[in-house]
């Protein structure tokens, strides 16, 4: 069973930067999509950014130009570089692994990002 271990959350002032990391423990399928989602209390979890094993990247409109998703295949690690952070970026950020076939859906434990004004 693959587990996703996240790190890098914390408290930062508006305009600052943070980098989140996500490392799968165990082997993962070569053809997959990994991504970052976020959730605030009482709200649904929403997509932030995704990257496929082929390198196709998607960003939510709210983070375009500020966040960058990337992965280091040698280190088997997913990153989310967050720049120009805003108070509305405050949320718990979750790493996700998705494989279409065989179906696999794994979530990390979440890491809290707090942006103060």
């Amino acid at each position: 069973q693959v587990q996703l271990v996240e790190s890098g959350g914390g408290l930062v002032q508006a305009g600052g930067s943070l980098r989140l990391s996500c490392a799968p423990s165990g082997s993962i399928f070569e053809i997959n999509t990994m991504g970052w989602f976020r959730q605030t209390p009482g709200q649904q979890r929403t997509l932030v950014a995704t990257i496929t094993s082929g390198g196709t990247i998607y960003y939510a409109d709210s983070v375009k130009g500020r966040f960058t998703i990337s992965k280091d295949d040698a280190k088997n690690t997913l990153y989310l570089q967050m720049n120009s952070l805003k108070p509305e970026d405050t949320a718990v950020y979750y790493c996700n692994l998705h494989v279409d076939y065989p179906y696999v859906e794994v979530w990390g434990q979440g890491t809290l990002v707090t942006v103060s004004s």
Side-chain angles (χ1 to χ4, degrees):
Q1 180 71 24
V2 175
Q3 292 185 326
L4 301 176
V5 180
E6 301 152 351
S7 60
L11 173 64
V12 65
Q13 288 189 331
S17 298
L18 282 174
R19 189 177 79 159
L20 306 182
S21 300
C22 171
S25 64
S27 61
I28 61 175
F29 292 96
E30 289 186 357
I31 301 175
N32 60 67
T33 299
M34 295 192 73
W36 294 95
F37 291 70
R38 65 187 181 187
Q39 187 172 23
T40 55
Q43 302 297 316
Q44 287 189 333
R45 195 170 296 183
T46 59
L47 187 150
V48 175
T50 60
I51 183 168
T52 69
S53 51
T56 300
I57 291 174
Y58 171 84
Y59 294 104
D61 288 342
S62 59
V63 306
K64 281 182 182 176
R66 300 188 299 123
F67 291 11
T68 302
I69 189 170
S70 63
K71 57 179 181 173
D72 185 331
D73 290 330
K75 296 182 179 180
N76 205 26
T77 301
L78 178 73
Y79 301 100
L80 184 69
Q81 177 67 43
M82 304 184 294
N83 298 327
S84 303
L85 282 161
K86 305 176 182 180
E88 51 264 43
D89 294 318
T90 295
V92 177
Y93 284 70
Y94 295 90
C95 179
N96 174 264
L97 167 67
H98 174 86
V99 179
D100 283 334
Y101 184 82
Y103 179 76
V104 173
E105 193 83 37
V106 183
W107 292 94
Q109 81 282 2
T111 184
L112 177 62
V113 172
T114 303
V115 184
S116 64
S117 57

